[in-house]
Amino acid sequence: MSDDGHEQNGTGHESVPSRQRRRFPGISSRAYEHPADRSALVALRKLSGFDTVFKALSGLLPERSLRLMFLSDSVRVSDQQFAHLNDMLRDACYILDLEKVPPMYVTQDPQPNAMCIGLDEPIIVVTTGLVELLDEEEMRAVVGHEVGHALSGHAVYRTILLFLTSLAIRIAWIPLGNLAIMAIVTALREWFRKSELSADRAGLLVGQDLKASMRGLMKIAGGNHLHEMNVDAFLKQAEEYEAGGDLRDSVLKILNVLPRTHPFTTVRAAELKKWAESRDHQRIMDGHYPRRTEDKDTSVTDSFRESASHYATSVKSSKDPLMKLVSDIAGGAGDLGGRVRRGFGGFAGSAPAEDQPPRNGSDGSDGWDGTTDTPPRADS
């Protein structure tokens, strides 16, 4: 099949755009997954019968209700409805070689948002706010982002884990249960954030236009005012966010990000740009990537080792004051007590949490599939 996608393969991928982009036959989602995301998914996939058990219990989940809600009160994308989105969806599935094209819905909601959920089969939902905000190439990256979730199996695992999280929160009244529950929720949200970085990479593989991906993230952060924004300045914000301040700011960063299901938008942009310039991305573009046929032979131990190595490297290379302190502790640096005292000097005099302005997106609603915890509503 040619790279421009004109040839048909009988799987519903005909009528794809003619702009030449590379296709990735048989690509495994491991090719683009963030190391922390990949290690969790490899471990889950190795649990024989895990998916089957929870799919059998799907009656306990709100999935059927959601499907009926979108079918009855949203617009299903097809050749007759939102045809341009339908072309993008088939194109994304063609590029990533996902044979079964997931159903896709557009729902009335001014909040720019998208998500991929489902146990029996993934469904993709985008809001009118997102459709109206993004241009064609920016939207192509978003659709690729959602198809990346589907290929990784995020839709299955995220639906399951969201259900478990919801169930856990309901029983948090049990003595000492709240601490344990919050530990689980915090761990799940950390994985969610890494899975979003994975899906951003999938969106880049589909769109193959880094500038479009950057524009989309900038619009999510600042609205449809590109003439007022600059990519370099936007990425500079991410550098300033990571390196700026002292230990007090490092602690506040952690507290700010803990309730979120998504990384901050500037951080997503910086991470995607870094990956786009990496050898891993170049190897994929050159056609050297893991295949799905090899997934069953993947080592859980190797995946966790790679994830641990990634975090260790991130700590060592981080400009964040707290991460530098952790790195110095690991390296046996002296006068750490004095550095800690200086870093936290005046912390007690800072404004109390209730006096701080609200953080945009603290509930996870900062971007496409940003409201993963709560599906978009279609009621007026």
Side-chain angles (χ1 to χ4, degrees), residues 155-214:
V156 172
Y157 300 119
R158 292 174 75 155
T159 303
I160 293 169
L161 293 176
L162 284 171
F163 168 71
L164 294 178
T165 302
S166 175
L167 180 65
I169 291 175
R170 292 174 189 172
I171 62 172
W173 56 270
I174 297 176
L176 298 179
N178 192 45
L179 289 177
I181 296 306
M182 288 311 300
I184 295 172
V185 170
T186 299
L188 294 182
R189 284 175 173 161
E190 168 64 10
W191 172 65
F192 282 172
R193 290 191 290 270
K194 294 303 183 285
S195 73
E196 286 305 309
L197 298 179
S198 298
D200 283 344
R201 297 174 178 184
L204 180 60
L205 290 178
V206 168
Q208 297 176 26
D209 184 345
L210 180 60
K211 291 181 179 179
S213 294
M214 293 291 110

Short mmCIF file of all heavy atoms in Angstrom, two decimals, residues 155-214:
data_model
loop_
_atom_site.label_atom_id
_atom_site.label_comp_id
_atom_site.label_asym_id
_atom_site.label_seq_id
_atom_site.Cartn_x
_atom_site.Cartn_y
_atom_site.Cartn_z
N ALA A 155 -8.35 2.75 26.61
CA ALA A 155 -9.80 2.85 26.79
C ALA A 155 -10.29 1.78 27.76
O ALA A 155 -11.11 2.04 28.64
CB ALA A 155 -10.51 2.72 25.44
N VAL A 156 -9.77 0.56 27.60
CA VAL A 156 -10.17 -0.54 28.48
C VAL A 156 -9.70 -0.29 29.90
O VAL A 156 -10.48 -0.29 30.85
CB VAL A 156 -9.61 -1.88 27.97
CG1 VAL A 156 -9.87 -2.99 28.98
CG2 VAL A 156 -10.22 -2.23 26.62
N TYR A 157 -8.40 -0.07 30.04
CA TYR A 157 -7.82 0.05 31.38
C TYR A 157 -8.28 1.31 32.09
O TYR A 157 -8.50 1.30 33.30
CB TYR A 157 -6.30 -0.01 31.29
CG TYR A 157 -5.80 -1.31 30.69
CD1 TYR A 157 -5.06 -1.34 29.52
CD2 TYR A 157 -6.12 -2.52 31.29
CE1 TYR A 157 -4.63 -2.52 28.96
CE2 TYR A 157 -5.70 -3.72 30.74
CZ TYR A 157 -4.95 -3.73 29.58
OH TYR A 157 -4.54 -4.91 29.03
N ARG A 158 -8.45 2.39 31.35
CA ARG A 158 -8.88 3.62 31.98
C ARG A 158 -10.33 3.50 32.45
O ARG A 158 -10.69 4.00 33.52
CB ARG A 158 -8.73 4.80 31.02
CG ARG A 158 -7.29 5.12 30.74
CD ARG A 158 -7.14 6.17 29.69
NE ARG A 158 -7.46 7.48 30.21
CZ ARG A 158 -6.98 8.61 29.72
NH1 ARG A 158 -6.18 8.58 28.69
NH2 ARG A 158 -7.30 9.76 30.23
N THR A 159 -11.18 2.85 31.66
CA THR A 159 -12.57 2.65 32.08
C THR A 159 -12.63 1.80 33.35
O THR A 159 -13.36 2.11 34.30
CB THR A 159 -13.39 1.99 30.96
OG1 THR A 159 -13.30 2.79 29.77
CG2 THR A 159 -14.84 1.84 31.36
N ILE A 160 -11.82 0.75 33.37
CA ILE A 160 -11.78 -0.12 34.55
C ILE A 160 -11.28 0.63 35.77
O ILE A 160 -11.88 0.61 36.85
CB ILE A 160 -10.87 -1.34 34.28
CG1 ILE A 160 -11.48 -2.25 33.21
CG2 ILE A 160 -10.61 -2.12 35.56
CD1 ILE A 160 -10.54 -3.32 32.71
N LEU A 161 -10.17 1.33 35.60
CA LEU A 161 -9.56 2.00 36.73
C LEU A 161 -10.40 3.18 37.23
O LEU A 161 -10.44 3.47 38.43
CB LEU A 161 -8.15 2.46 36.36
CG LEU A 161 -7.16 1.30 36.14
CD1 LEU A 161 -5.82 1.82 35.69
CD2 LEU A 161 -7.01 0.45 37.39
N LEU A 162 -11.08 3.87 36.30
CA LEU A 162 -11.98 4.94 36.73
C LEU A 162 -13.12 4.38 37.57
O LEU A 162 -13.55 4.97 38.55
CB LEU A 162 -12.53 5.68 35.51
CG LEU A 162 -11.55 6.66 34.85
CD1 LEU A 162 -12.12 7.16 33.53
CD2 LEU A 162 -11.26 7.82 35.77
N PHE A 163 -13.62 3.19 37.15
CA PHE A 163 -14.67 2.55 37.93
C PHE A 163 -14.16 2.18 39.32
O PHE A 163 -14.81 2.43 40.34
CB PHE A 163 -15.15 1.30 37.19
CG PHE A 163 -16.03 0.40 38.03
CD1 PHE A 163 -17.32 0.79 38.37
CD2 PHE A 163 -15.55 -0.81 38.49
CE1 PHE A 163 -18.12 -0.03 39.14
CE2 PHE A 163 -16.35 -1.64 39.26
CZ PHE A 163 -17.63 -1.25 39.59
N LEU A 164 -12.95 1.60 39.38
CA LEU A 164 -12.39 1.21 40.66
C LEU A 164 -12.13 2.44 41.54
O LEU A 164 -12.33 2.41 42.75
CB LEU A 164 -11.08 0.43 40.44
CG LEU A 164 -11.22 -0.93 39.75
CD1 LEU A 164 -9.86 -1.56 39.56
CD2 LEU A 164 -12.13 -1.86 40.54
N THR A 165 -11.67 3.52 40.90
CA THR A 165 -11.43 4.76 41.64
C THR A 165 -12.73 5.29 42.23
O THR A 165 -12.79 5.70 43.40
CB THR A 165 -10.80 5.82 40.72
OG1 THR A 165 -9.58 5.30 40.18
CG2 THR A 165 -10.51 7.09 41.49
N SER A 166 -13.77 5.31 41.39
CA SER A 166 -15.07 5.79 41.86
C SER A 166 -15.58 4.93 43.01
O SER A 166 -16.09 5.43 44.01
CB SER A 166 -16.07 5.77 40.69
OG SER A 166 -17.35 6.13 41.13
N LEU A 167 -15.43 3.62 42.87
CA LEU A 167 -15.86 2.71 43.92
C LEU A 167 -15.07 2.93 45.20
O LEU A 167 -15.63 2.96 46.31
CB LEU A 167 -15.69 1.26 43.45
CG LEU A 167 -16.09 0.16 44.43
CD1 LEU A 167 -17.58 0.21 44.71
CD2 LEU A 167 -15.68 -1.21 43.88
N ALA A 168 -13.77 3.14 45.04
CA ALA A 168 -12.92 3.33 46.21
C ALA A 168 -13.29 4.60 46.97
O ALA A 168 -13.29 4.63 48.20
CB ALA A 168 -11.45 3.38 45.77
N ILE A 169 -13.58 5.66 46.22
CA ILE A 169 -13.94 6.93 46.86
C ILE A 169 -15.22 6.79 47.67
O ILE A 169 -15.38 7.40 48.73
CB ILE A 169 -14.07 8.04 45.80
CG1 ILE A 169 -12.68 8.36 45.22
CG2 ILE A 169 -14.70 9.30 46.38
CD1 ILE A 169 -12.71 9.34 44.08
N ARG A 170 -16.13 5.95 47.18
CA ARG A 170 -17.40 5.76 47.88
C ARG A 170 -17.23 5.07 49.23
O ARG A 170 -18.08 5.21 50.12
CB ARG A 170 -18.36 4.96 47.01
CG ARG A 170 -18.84 5.71 45.78
CD ARG A 170 -19.67 4.82 44.89
NE ARG A 170 -19.96 5.45 43.61
CZ ARG A 170 -20.53 4.83 42.58
NH1 ARG A 170 -20.89 3.57 42.69
NH2 ARG A 170 -20.74 5.48 41.46
N ILE A 171 -16.16 4.29 49.36
CA ILE A 171 -15.96 3.56 50.63
C ILE A 171 -14.85 4.20 51.46
O ILE A 171 -14.32 3.60 52.38
CB ILE A 171 -15.62 2.08 50.37
CG1 ILE A 171 -14.32 1.95 49.58
CG2 ILE A 171 -16.75 1.39 49.64
CD1 ILE A 171 -13.83 0.52 49.46
N ALA A 172 -14.52 5.45 51.10
CA ALA A 172 -13.42 6.14 51.80
C ALA A 172 -13.77 6.46 53.26
O ALA A 172 -12.90 6.84 54.03
CB ALA A 172 -13.06 7.42 51.07
N TRP A 173 -15.05 6.31 53.64
CA TRP A 173 -15.45 6.58 55.03
C TRP A 173 -14.95 5.51 55.98
O TRP A 173 -14.92 5.72 57.19
CB TRP A 173 -16.97 6.66 55.11
CG TRP A 173 -17.67 5.43 54.60
CD1 TRP A 173 -18.09 5.21 53.33
CD2 TRP A 173 -18.00 4.25 55.34
NE1 TRP A 173 -18.66 3.95 53.22
CE2 TRP A 173 -18.63 3.35 54.46
CE3 TRP A 173 -17.82 3.88 56.68
CZ2 TRP A 173 -19.07 2.09 54.84
CZ3 TRP A 173 -18.29 2.62 57.07
CH2 TRP A 173 -18.90 1.75 56.16
N ILE A 174 -14.52 4.38 55.46
CA ILE A 174 -14.02 3.31 56.34
C ILE A 174 -12.77 3.82 57.08
O ILE A 174 -11.91 4.45 56.47
CB ILE A 174 -13.67 2.06 55.51
CG1 ILE A 174 -14.95 1.52 54.84
CG2 ILE A 174 -13.02 0.99 56.36
CD1 ILE A 174 -14.71 0.35 53.92
N PRO A 175 -12.66 3.55 58.39
CA PRO A 175 -11.50 4.03 59.15
C PRO A 175 -10.18 3.69 58.47
O PRO A 175 -9.95 2.56 58.04
CB PRO A 175 -11.65 3.29 60.49
CG PRO A 175 -13.12 3.06 60.61
CD PRO A 175 -13.61 2.81 59.22
N LEU A 176 -9.31 4.68 58.36
CA LEU A 176 -8.00 4.58 57.73
C LEU A 176 -8.10 4.29 56.23
O LEU A 176 -7.09 4.17 55.55
CB LEU A 176 -7.13 3.50 58.39
CG LEU A 176 -6.80 3.72 59.88
CD1 LEU A 176 -5.95 2.57 60.41
CD2 LEU A 176 -6.11 5.05 60.09
N GLY A 177 -9.34 4.19 55.74
CA GLY A 177 -9.50 3.87 54.32
C GLY A 177 -9.12 5.02 53.42
O GLY A 177 -8.65 4.82 52.31
N ASN A 178 -9.33 6.26 53.91
CA ASN A 178 -9.11 7.42 53.06
C ASN A 178 -7.66 7.54 52.61
O ASN A 178 -7.38 7.84 51.46
CB ASN A 178 -9.53 8.69 53.79
CG ASN A 178 -9.59 9.88 52.86
OD1 ASN A 178 -10.14 9.78 51.77
ND2 ASN A 178 -9.03 10.99 53.28
N LEU A 179 -6.71 7.28 53.54
CA LEU A 179 -5.30 7.37 53.17
C LEU A 179 -4.94 6.34 52.11
O LEU A 179 -4.24 6.64 51.15
CB LEU A 179 -4.42 7.18 54.42
CG LEU A 179 -4.43 8.33 55.43
CD1 LEU A 179 -3.57 7.97 56.64
CD2 LEU A 179 -3.91 9.62 54.78
N ALA A 180 -5.43 5.13 52.29
CA ALA A 180 -5.14 4.08 51.32
C ALA A 180 -5.77 4.40 49.97
O ALA A 180 -5.15 4.21 48.92
CB ALA A 180 -5.65 2.73 51.83
N ILE A 181 -7.01 4.90 50.02
CA ILE A 181 -7.70 5.23 48.78
C ILE A 181 -6.97 6.35 48.04
O ILE A 181 -6.77 6.29 46.83
CB ILE A 181 -9.16 5.66 49.07
CG1 ILE A 181 -9.93 4.50 49.68
CG2 ILE A 181 -9.83 6.15 47.80
CD1 ILE A 181 -9.89 3.23 48.87
N MET A 182 -6.56 7.38 48.76
CA MET A 182 -5.86 8.49 48.12
C MET A 182 -4.54 8.06 47.52
O MET A 182 -4.11 8.59 46.49
CB MET A 182 -5.64 9.63 49.13
CG MET A 182 -6.91 10.37 49.50
SD MET A 182 -7.89 10.87 48.04
CE MET A 182 -6.72 11.93 47.19
N ALA A 183 -3.89 7.09 48.15
CA ALA A 183 -2.65 6.57 47.58
C ALA A 183 -2.93 5.90 46.24
O ALA A 183 -2.18 6.08 45.26
CB ALA A 183 -2.00 5.58 48.55
N ILE A 184 -4.05 5.14 46.17
CA ILE A 184 -4.41 4.48 44.92
C ILE A 184 -4.78 5.50 43.86
O ILE A 184 -4.31 5.43 42.71
CB ILE A 184 -5.60 3.51 45.15
CG1 ILE A 184 -5.18 2.37 46.08
CG2 ILE A 184 -6.11 2.96 43.83
CD1 ILE A 184 -6.33 1.48 46.50
N VAL A 185 -5.60 6.48 44.24
CA VAL A 185 -6.03 7.51 43.30
C VAL A 185 -4.83 8.30 42.78
O VAL A 185 -4.73 8.59 41.59
CB VAL A 185 -7.05 8.46 43.97
CG1 VAL A 185 -7.31 9.67 43.09
CG2 VAL A 185 -8.35 7.72 44.26
N THR A 186 -3.91 8.63 43.67
CA THR A 186 -2.72 9.38 43.26
C THR A 186 -1.89 8.58 42.27
O THR A 186 -1.40 9.13 41.27
CB THR A 186 -1.86 9.73 44.50
OG1 THR A 186 -2.64 10.54 45.38
CG2 THR A 186 -0.60 10.47 44.10
N ALA A 187 -1.73 7.29 42.52
CA ALA A 187 -0.97 6.44 41.60
C ALA A 187 -1.66 6.35 40.25
O ALA A 187 -1.01 6.40 39.19
CB ALA A 187 -0.79 5.05 42.21
N LEU A 188 -2.98 6.21 40.26
CA LEU A 188 -3.73 6.13 39.01
C LEU A 188 -3.61 7.41 38.21
O LEU A 188 -3.45 7.38 36.98
CB LEU A 188 -5.20 5.82 39.29
CG LEU A 188 -5.51 4.45 39.89
CD1 LEU A 188 -7.02 4.28 40.07
CD2 LEU A 188 -4.97 3.34 39.02
N ARG A 189 -3.68 8.54 38.89
CA ARG A 189 -3.58 9.82 38.18
C ARG A 189 -2.19 10.02 37.59
O ARG A 189 -2.04 10.60 36.52
CB ARG A 189 -3.94 10.97 39.12
CG ARG A 189 -5.44 11.07 39.33
CD ARG A 189 -5.80 12.11 40.36
NE ARG A 189 -7.26 12.28 40.42
CZ ARG A 189 -7.89 12.83 41.43
NH1 ARG A 189 -7.21 13.29 42.46
NH2 ARG A 189 -9.20 12.96 41.41
N GLU A 190 -1.17 9.53 38.30
CA GLU A 190 0.18 9.61 37.74
C GLU A 190 0.26 8.81 36.45
O GLU A 190 0.85 9.24 35.46
CB GLU A 190 1.19 9.09 38.77
CG GLU A 190 2.60 8.85 38.25
CD GLU A 190 3.32 10.11 37.76
OE1 GLU A 190 2.81 11.23 37.99
OE2 GLU A 190 4.39 9.97 37.14
N TRP A 191 -0.36 7.61 36.44
CA TRP A 191 -0.37 6.82 35.21
C TRP A 191 -1.17 7.53 34.13
O TRP A 191 -0.76 7.55 32.96
CB TRP A 191 -0.95 5.43 35.47
CG TRP A 191 -1.15 4.67 34.20
CD1 TRP A 191 -0.18 4.24 33.33
CD2 TRP A 191 -2.39 4.29 33.61
NE1 TRP A 191 -0.75 3.61 32.25
CE2 TRP A 191 -2.10 3.63 32.40
CE3 TRP A 191 -3.73 4.45 33.99
CZ2 TRP A 191 -3.10 3.12 31.58
CZ3 TRP A 191 -4.72 3.94 33.17
CH2 TRP A 191 -4.39 3.29 31.98
N PHE A 192 -2.33 8.09 34.50
CA PHE A 192 -3.14 8.82 33.52
C PHE A 192 -2.31 9.91 32.84
O PHE A 192 -2.37 10.09 31.63
CB PHE A 192 -4.34 9.49 34.20
CG PHE A 192 -5.48 8.55 34.50
CD1 PHE A 192 -6.56 8.99 35.26
CD2 PHE A 192 -5.48 7.24 34.06
CE1 PHE A 192 -7.62 8.15 35.56
CE2 PHE A 192 -6.54 6.39 34.35
CZ PHE A 192 -7.60 6.85 35.11
N ARG A 193 -1.56 10.65 33.65
CA ARG A 193 -0.77 11.74 33.09
C ARG A 193 0.27 11.22 32.10
O ARG A 193 0.49 11.83 31.05
CB ARG A 193 -0.09 12.54 34.21
CG ARG A 193 -1.07 13.35 35.06
CD ARG A 193 -0.36 14.31 35.99
NE ARG A 193 0.34 13.64 37.06
CZ ARG A 193 -0.20 13.37 38.25
NH1 ARG A 193 -1.48 13.66 38.49
NH2 ARG A 193 0.51 12.78 39.18
N LYS A 194 0.89 10.10 32.42
CA LYS A 194 1.88 9.53 31.50
C LYS A 194 1.21 8.97 30.25
O LYS A 194 1.77 9.02 29.15
CB LYS A 194 2.69 8.44 32.21
CG LYS A 194 3.56 8.97 33.35
CD LYS A 194 4.51 10.05 32.84
CE LYS A 194 5.45 10.56 33.93
NZ LYS A 194 4.79 11.46 34.88
N SER A 195 0.00 8.42 30.40
CA SER A 195 -0.70 7.90 29.22
C SER A 195 -1.07 9.03 28.27
O SER A 195 -1.15 8.83 27.05
CB SER A 195 -1.95 7.12 29.64
OG SER A 195 -2.99 7.97 30.09
N GLU A 196 -1.28 10.23 28.80
CA GLU A 196 -1.56 11.38 27.94
C GLU A 196 -0.33 11.77 27.13
O GLU A 196 -0.44 12.16 25.96
CB GLU A 196 -2.04 12.57 28.79
CG GLU A 196 -3.44 12.42 29.31
CD GLU A 196 -4.44 12.16 28.20
OE1 GLU A 196 -4.45 12.91 27.20
OE2 GLU A 196 -5.19 11.19 28.31
N LEU A 197 0.84 11.67 27.72
CA LEU A 197 2.07 11.94 26.98
C LEU A 197 2.24 10.91 25.86
O LEU A 197 2.69 11.25 24.75
CB LEU A 197 3.27 11.92 27.92
CG LEU A 197 3.28 12.97 29.04
CD1 LEU A 197 4.53 12.81 29.91
CD2 LEU A 197 3.20 14.38 28.48
N SER A 198 1.88 9.65 26.14
CA SER A 198 1.93 8.62 25.11
C SER A 198 1.00 8.97 23.95
O SER A 198 1.39 8.88 22.78
CB SER A 198 1.51 7.26 25.69
OG SER A 198 2.38 6.84 26.71
N ALA A 199 -0.22 9.36 24.27
CA ALA A 199 -1.21 9.67 23.24
C ALA A 199 -0.81 10.91 22.44
O ALA A 199 -1.08 10.99 21.23
CB ALA A 199 -2.59 9.86 23.86
N ASP A 200 -0.16 11.89 23.07
CA ASP A 200 0.36 13.04 22.34
C ASP A 200 1.35 12.59 21.27
O ASP A 200 1.37 13.11 20.15
CB ASP A 200 1.04 14.02 23.29
CG ASP A 200 0.06 14.86 24.10
OD1 ASP A 200 -1.14 14.91 23.73
OD2 ASP A 200 0.47 15.46 25.10
N ARG A 201 2.18 11.61 21.62
CA ARG A 201 3.15 11.08 20.65
C ARG A 201 2.43 10.39 19.49
O ARG A 201 2.83 10.54 18.33
CB ARG A 201 4.10 10.10 21.35
CG ARG A 201 4.95 10.72 22.44
CD ARG A 201 5.76 9.66 23.19
NE ARG A 201 6.62 10.23 24.21
CZ ARG A 201 7.47 9.52 24.94
NH1 ARG A 201 7.54 8.20 24.77
NH2 ARG A 201 8.23 10.11 25.85
N ALA A 202 1.38 9.63 19.82
CA ALA A 202 0.60 8.99 18.76
C ALA A 202 0.00 10.02 17.82
O ALA A 202 -0.04 9.85 16.60
CB ALA A 202 -0.49 8.11 19.36
N GLY A 203 -0.49 11.14 18.40
CA GLY A 203 -1.05 12.20 17.58
C GLY A 203 -0.01 12.78 16.63
O GLY A 203 -0.32 13.12 15.48
N LEU A 204 1.24 12.88 17.09
CA LEU A 204 2.30 13.38 16.22
C LEU A 204 2.63 12.38 15.11
O LEU A 204 2.88 12.77 13.97
CB LEU A 204 3.55 13.67 17.05
CG LEU A 204 4.77 14.21 16.28
CD1 LEU A 204 4.44 15.52 15.59
CD2 LEU A 204 5.97 14.37 17.21
N LEU A 205 2.60 11.09 15.43
CA LEU A 205 2.85 10.08 14.40
C LEU A 205 1.77 10.12 13.33
O LEU A 205 2.04 9.85 12.15
CB LEU A 205 2.90 8.69 15.04
CG LEU A 205 4.11 8.38 15.93
CD1 LEU A 205 3.98 6.97 16.52
CD2 LEU A 205 5.42 8.53 15.17
N VAL A 206 0.55 10.42 13.72
CA VAL A 206 -0.55 10.49 12.75
C VAL A 206 -0.47 11.77 11.92
O VAL A 206 -0.52 11.75 10.70
CB VAL A 206 -1.92 10.40 13.47
CG1 VAL A 206 -3.06 10.77 12.51
CG2 VAL A 206 -2.13 8.99 14.01
N GLY A 207 -0.34 12.91 12.59
CA GLY A 207 -0.33 14.18 11.88
C GLY A 207 0.99 14.47 11.20
O GLY A 207 1.04 15.12 10.15
N GLN A 208 2.09 14.00 11.84
CA GLN A 208 3.44 14.22 11.31
C GLN A 208 3.69 15.70 11.02
O GLN A 208 4.29 16.07 10.02
CB GLN A 208 3.69 13.32 10.09
CG GLN A 208 3.61 11.86 10.46
CD GLN A 208 3.74 10.88 9.31
OE1 GLN A 208 4.35 11.20 8.29
NE2 GLN A 208 3.16 9.69 9.46
N ASP A 209 3.18 16.53 11.93
CA ASP A 209 3.32 17.98 11.81
C ASP A 209 3.45 18.54 13.22
O ASP A 209 2.45 18.81 13.90
CB ASP A 209 2.09 18.56 11.10
CG ASP A 209 2.21 20.07 10.85
OD1 ASP A 209 3.10 20.70 11.46
OD2 ASP A 209 1.42 20.60 10.06
N LEU A 210 4.69 18.69 13.69
CA LEU A 210 4.93 19.13 15.06
C LEU A 210 4.34 20.51 15.31
O LEU A 210 3.81 20.79 16.39
CB LEU A 210 6.44 19.14 15.36
CG LEU A 210 6.84 19.58 16.77
CD1 LEU A 210 6.24 18.65 17.82
CD2 LEU A 210 8.36 19.63 16.90
N LYS A 211 4.42 21.39 14.31
CA LYS A 211 3.88 22.74 14.50
C LYS A 211 2.38 22.70 14.76
O LYS A 211 1.87 23.45 15.59
CB LYS A 211 4.17 23.58 13.26
CG LYS A 211 5.65 23.92 13.07
CD LYS A 211 5.86 24.79 11.83
CE LYS A 211 7.34 25.13 11.67
NZ LYS A 211 7.57 25.96 10.45
N ALA A 212 1.67 21.83 14.06
CA ALA A 212 0.23 21.71 14.28
C ALA A 212 -0.07 21.19 15.69
O ALA A 212 -1.00 21.67 16.36
CB ALA A 212 -0.39 20.78 13.24
N SER A 213 0.72 20.22 16.15
CA SER A 213 0.53 19.71 17.51
C SER A 213 0.78 20.81 18.54
O SER A 213 0.04 20.94 19.52
CB SER A 213 1.48 18.53 17.77
OG SER A 213 1.15 17.42 16.96
N MET A 214 1.82 21.61 18.31
CA MET A 214 2.12 22.72 19.22
C MET A 214 0.99 23.76 19.21
O MET A 214 0.58 24.26 20.26
CB MET A 214 3.43 23.40 18.81
CG MET A 214 4.69 22.56 18.98
SD MET A 214 5.12 22.27 20.71
CE MET A 214 4.77 20.52 20.81
#
